[in-house]
Amino acid sequence: MDIRHYTVSLTVDPEQQNIDGYTEIDLILSQPANRLVFDLTKLMMAKKVWVNGKEAKQDHQDDKLIITSAAAFNTGKTKVKIAYGGKPAVAERAPWIGGFQWEKDAKGNPWIAITCQGEGAQIYFPCKDHPSDEPNEGADMIITVPKGLTVAGPGLLQKVSHKKNQSTFHWKTNYTISNYCILFNVGKYKVAKRTYTTIDGNKVPLEYYVLEENLDKAEKILDLFEQSCRILEKYFGEYPWVKERIAASETPHLGMEHQTNIAYGNKYRFEKVGGKDFDWLLHHEFGHEWWANKVTNSDWGHMWIQEGICSFGDDLATRELAGEEAYQKSMRETARTLQNKFPVVRGDEVDSDSAYHADIYGKGAFFMHTLRYVLGDDIFFPTLKKLATDPQYTYDNTITTSDVEKLFSGAYGKSLQPLFHLFLYTTDKMKVLVKQTGEDKYAVRLLNIDMPLPIDIVTDAGLQRITMDAKGATITSKTPIQVDPKVFYLKQVILE
Ligand SMILES: [Zn+2]
């Protein structure tokens, strides 16, 4: 099945910590099927199911909802409606161990957030919970809450209606969206707004849904949003969702990259970068609008593309605000703190939980730093932008590590496969053998990578960029040589 669209319609009861309503799934069946299977936590009780308007049988076991009928379901457009409800799982440690948060703001008003990047959207609506199948035509969220509260959802607000003591908010996105971003936040929010003009001249609403108690900080968040957007657009191209909005909602958890409605919970802890205020959390989650929401890996096994390149975007903010030296220093710091326990890419059997080991962030970002050095800025930056803007890698299309390798190899004009293999598929460092062969002669060669690579070597004549390979080169210097002093590679220098 190919998922086309979700409509999630729920009434949220903060007192009972309960949700109740229905989900409609539009999909295309590529062949006739005797059964349709969706992911849905067993904490949600499926009450009734319809396929193309006709009631169907359902069996709900082990977080799978299996829908059957006497006659097979036909090929083509299919509409499945599922009525359900229950008490969703409460987040143990949001955003890392997700679920619902039924919190209160300082004035005692309900403040509700959802996080489910690892757990999947099946914790509150039935869906096909795999990153390779996003709803290409978007999603509608119709959420009913007690009057006085505001719902923030994905895309644009279509309508708010009030009935007795309840308010219903209809949010709609027409863009393809990851399941774990089809969600809502509830609070006694105020909305700070302005208009942002993108790098390509499009005008986009910029909004921050802020708790009343923090309204005085909202303008500062909008300023920092603009600052981050200018940096990210410079390197990765125009903001991806110009027909909708740039937005964040204040949440009780630290943050998450929810498309067009990122979660912000960094409590206004700004830091100074190059003398300017900066909010790393806001910048990182916002960077995911490009890396995760627009450019999506097709499987959890390639999660470094989303987290590693997004983290590299954080380093590029340092470069923009504090300069190249500060950027290089932060990359050296990243290299020092890597765990290197598992390869960044471990194959497709990795699941959503185990995908998030630490190195996909730091080592993924550092790998981009290495690529930048090897390719040089004139090739590297336009190629990175191509990855973030070319239709074959973005929106409806999902990518793997091999797509990234082929793109960069093509731009470089030579295969970078050995470099990708060493740094992403193994925990080995690049081994550089240095052997003094005479009073002022050094033989230098690469031991475990079979391709010529540029490398910085400091000799008595200063720093030189030399092309090195497994055969090696002879370096002349009256003083002991230094290999890659600025740390563009994760390496081990072996002195013989
Ligand atoms: Zn991230």
Side-chain angles (χ1 to χ4, degrees):
M1 65 170 71
D2 174 25
I3 301 287
R4 305 307 299 177
H5 185 270
Y6 291 110
T7 299
V8 180
S9 175
L10 294 168
T11 298
V12 179
D13 182 345
E15 291 274 296
Q16 298 298 317
Q17 304 191 349
N18 190 82
I19 57 174
D20 192 80
Y22 68 86
T23 290
E24 248 172 29
I25 308 168
D26 292 290
L27 58 91
I28 294 171
L29 280 180
S30 61
Q31 59 185 71
N34 291 317
R35 39 182 233 157
L36 304 175
V37 183
F38 296 98
D39 298 292
L40 179 66
T41 172
K42 49 185 177 293
L43 295 178
M44 291 292 114
M45 237 271 280
K47 296 171 187 167
K48 243 181 182 183
V49 172
W50 299 263
V51 178
N52 296 328
K54 267 178 65 183
E55 199 171 338
K57 276 199 210 123
Q58 52 112 345
D59 182 21
H60 192 189
Q61 283 180 22
D62 300 328
D63 302 337
K64 297 274 184 238
L65 183 70
I66 299 158
I67 301 171
T68 51
S69 88
F73 300 112
N74 289 328
T75 306
K77 279 189 178 180
T78 305
K79 191 185 267 298
V80 179
K81 183 174 177 179
I82 299 152
Y84 64 100
K87 288 182 195 297
V90 171
E92 276 175 50
R93 200 167 62 89
W96 301 280
I97 305 174
F100 273 59
Q101 283 177 290
W102 304 94
E103 303 289 331
K104 295 236 153 67
D105 68 14
K107 290 174 186 157
N109 301 302
W111 188 21
I112 304 164
I114 308 168
T115 45
C116 60
Q117 192 182 30
E119 297 73 14
Q122 55 88 23
I123 66 164
Y124 62 99
F125 74 88
C127 55
K128 177 178 168 186
D129 232 350
H130 193 274
S132 64
D133 198 0
E134 294 185 348
N136 313 65
E137 286 143 36
D140 283 61
M141 298 212 86
I142 304 159
I143 305 299
T144 301
V145 291
K147 216 176 204 167
L149 296 176
T150 295
V151 179
L156 292 172
L157 184 59
Q158 307 295 304
K159 197 176 150 195
V160 185
S161 51
H162 304 283
K163 216 195 223 165
K164 284 189 208 157
N165 53 355
Q166 289 186 318
S167 304
T168 299
F169 291 76
H170 181 182
W171 286 91
K172 182 181 187 64
T173 177
N174 290 310
Y175 287 114
T176 184
I177 182 169
S178 299
N179 288 352
Y180 70 90
C181 291
I182 305 173
L183 51 68
F184 55 89
N185 310 298
V186 180
K188 193 131 194 285
Y189 286 126
K190 292 276 182 198
V191 189
K193 291 182 191 191
R194 61 177 79 156
T195 300
Y196 177 83
T197 304
T198 70
I199 197 167
D200 294 347
N202 288 303
K203 302 225 181 290
V204 186
L206 171 63
E207 300 179 349
Y208 180 45
Y209 278 63
V210 58
L211 292 181
E212 274 180 351
E213 67 209 56
N214 292 321
L215 187 57
D216 60 328
K217 298 166 193 107
E219 286 301 315
K220 182 76 196 176
I221 288 288
L222 295 183
D223 289 345
L224 295 179
F225 234 142
E226 283 202 44
Q227 175 178 277
S228 284
C229 204
R230 301 254 168 258
I231 294 169
L232 294 163
E233 286 193 313
K234 173 179 169 180
Y235 289 101
F236 307 143
E238 190 183 32
Y239 174 70
W241 321 105
V242 287
K243 291 185 189 135
E244 293 180 356
R245 59 177 192 147
I246 300 168
S249 294
E250 185 166 15
T251 54
H253 62 84
L254 182 61
M256 187 56 77
E257 64 245 30
H258 304 141
Q259 187 170 308
T260 64
N261 181 31
I262 64 169
Y264 175 81
N266 199 30
K267 302 196 184 311
Y268 313 96
R269 287 175 296 204
F270 310 132
E271 55 192 306
K272 292 278 182 204
V273 178
K276 296 177 196 77
D277 283 330
F278 183 70
D279 190 308
W280 73 269
L281 188 278
L282 186 75
H283 184 88
H284 179 85
E285 301 306 344
F286 190 45
H288 279 305
E289 292 286 26
W290 286 260
W291 305 104
N293 298 342
K294 185 185 184 192
V295 182
T296 308
N297 34 244
S298 61
D299 191 276
W300 292 292
H302 303 277
M303 194 57 88
W304 78 273
I305 298 171
Q306 298 185 180
E307 289 300 350
I309 306 182
C310 188
S311 296
F312 185 64
D314 303 347
D315 297 303
L316 292 175
T318 303
R319 182 172 190 252
E320 286 302 305
L321 298 173
E324 177 68 23
E325 282 303 312
Y327 152 87
Q328 289 193 12
K329 195 174 161 214
S330 96
M331 294 312 315
R332 283 196 289 277
E333 194 52 38
T334 300
R336 241 199 309 278
T337 53
L338 292 178
Q339 298 179 348
N340 241 347
K341 276 191 200 145
F342 306 101
V344 169
V345 184
R346 287 176 291 164
D348 288 348
E349 60 276 12
V350 171
D351 66 18
S352 62
D353 281 337
S354 63
Y356 285 91
H357 65 95
D359 282 349
I360 65 167
Y361 294 78
K363 200 174 170 188
F366 194 86
F367 182 65
M368 299 316 286
H369 179 58
T370 302
L371 271 185
R372 180 187 167 202
Y373 174 76
V374 173
L375 272 65
D377 287 0
D378 290 349
I379 298 175
F380 173 78
F381 283 122
T383 308
L384 185 58
K385 192 179 269 183
K386 185 176 165 73
L387 184 61
T389 50
D390 192 305
Q392 65 176 306
Y393 308 117
T394 56
Y395 296 114
D396 282 344
N397 293 314
T398 60
I399 61 167
T400 65
T401 306
S402 155
D403 296 313
V404 181
E405 186 263 300
K406 287 192 186 107
L407 171 67
F408 278 97
S409 290
Y412 190 45
K414 287 183 275 235
S415 172
L416 291 160
Q417 210 270 333
L419 195 72
F420 275 71
H421 178 80
L422 180 67
F423 290 119
L424 298 180
Y425 290 82
T426 82
T427 55
D428 296 339
K429 293 181 174 179
M430 186 169 87
K431 291 189 175 130
V432 188
L433 182 72
V434 178
K435 194 171 173 179
Q436 189 163 8
T437 52
E439 205 176 323
D440 61 351
K441 293 269 185 290
Y442 295 85
V444 183
R445 65 187 176 98
L446 305 180
L447 292 183
N448 61 343
I449 185 160
D450 192 16
M451 69 176 289
L453 285 168
I455 193 161
D456 282 357
I457 294 188
V458 179
T459 67
D460 58 3
L463 190 139
Q464 316 171 41
R465 185 177 160 119
I466 288 165
T467 301
M468 188 65 60
D469 59 17
K471 284 191 229 72
T474 300
I475 312 288
T476 305
S477 177
K478 289 193 170 59
T479 53
I481 62 166
Q482 259 184 298
V483 177
D484 184 35
K486 292 182 179 170
V487 194
F488 294 109
Y489 294 101
L490 295 173
K491 68 188 178 298
Q492 187 187 353
V493 178
I494 302 159
L495 299 167
E496 206 177 89

